[in-house]
Amino acid sequence: MPAELKDEAEKVKRGVPQISVRSCRILNKYGYCRNAGIARFCISTCRPCVDRLSRRSCQLLKIKYRQCRHHTGRFYCRRTCGHCGQKPLPVQCRRYARLSDATRRQSYTNNKIIRCDNRLPQRWYRFGAQGKNLPTRPTRPYYCGTHASGWMTGALPRIRGQTVSRIVCFSWGKNKCAWRLPIYVTNCGIYNVYYLRPTKACSLRYCGNL
């Protein structure tokens, strides 16, 4: 925690008696959270959507120090940092591989580099230099470093933590969906991850939206 906020945090700790999480859950179960004193003692259980530091301090944590993802932000500034009522993200939002090859951009036109995803390991991926997501509109063949360029049908998931199934089409000639592959997409808040599998033929490739 930043040094200039430690004094205020220490006052919060000294001012609130320590009650175990188990005890607070029992009190909440039997309706004691309606009591102001109990709610103050069990703030993380009874009133999870509150800030334990001043509004100014929580804004400093969020904007200046960028500690909303750390324990400090989750514990002291739940409301300001947006941790109220949010469910934990799925495991794939932490365990994924990166696709960061700029030749995957849907605008990439160098026909001398032809690559294929027929040996791509089947797992969760996050896009990088080629764009944050798969394109959601038909792509042109002979782009993104391959013959048949891949794009996703349907919209991206809008709800944090939501996973949806989608189809990736590969454009070839005048056919915008000459090949099809099922995938999964998870909304991880500020980014999306994709469960991709190897393509059935060459040269087919997943493209980025840049």
Side-chain angles (χ1 to χ4, degrees), residues 7-145:
D7 289 341
E8 185 176 352
E10 286 299 323
K11 291 178 182 178
V12 170
K13 288 182 179 179
R14 291 195 298 269
V16 180
Q18 298 297 314
I19 297 181
S20 69
V21 173
R22 179 177 178 275
S23 296
C24 284
R25 288 176 178 171
I26 293 173
L27 289 169
N28 184 30
K29 179 181 178 181
Y30 289 101
Y32 283 94
C33 279
R34 290 189 292 269
N35 181 288
I38 296 297
R40 180 171 173 267
F41 297 157
C42 299
I43 190 168
S44 296
T45 302
C46 295
R47 299 192 307 178
C49 196
V50 296
D51 291 337
R52 304 188 71 179
L53 298 182
S54 67
R55 185 173 183 275
R56 176 183 174 276
S57 296
C58 284
Q59 288 295 326
L60 284 174
L61 278 171
K62 180 180 180 180
I63 299 171
K64 183 177 179 180
Y65 298 107
R66 298 182 180 180
Q67 292 199 12
C68 274
R69 295 185 181 181
H70 297 81
H71 169 75
T72 301
R74 292 195 299 269
F75 183 78
Y76 289 101
C77 301
R78 291 179 58 82
R79 184 173 182 178
T80 299
C81 288
H83 295 298
C84 299
Q86 289 188 347
K87 295 180 180 180
L89 288 170
V91 65
Q92 60 263 32
C93 290
R94 302 186 304 274
R95 298 178 182 176
Y96 55 79
R98 286 185 176 270
L99 291 177
S100 56
D101 186 352
T103 64
R104 288 185 181 273
R105 295 181 179 183
Q106 64 176 345
S107 58
Y108 187 81
T109 58
N110 187 350
N111 292 330
K112 294 182 180 180
I113 300 178
I114 302 298
R115 296 177 180 175
C116 182
D117 281 337
N118 64 326
R119 295 184 179 180
L120 185 75
Q122 182 170 319
R123 61 173 302 175
W124 289 96
Y125 290 94
R126 178 180 174 183
F127 282 87
Q130 67 277 50
K132 293 183 178 180
N133 295 292
L134 278 166
T136 53
R137 295 182 179 179
T139 51
R140 291 175 288 182
Y142 294 105
Y143 277 72
C144 90

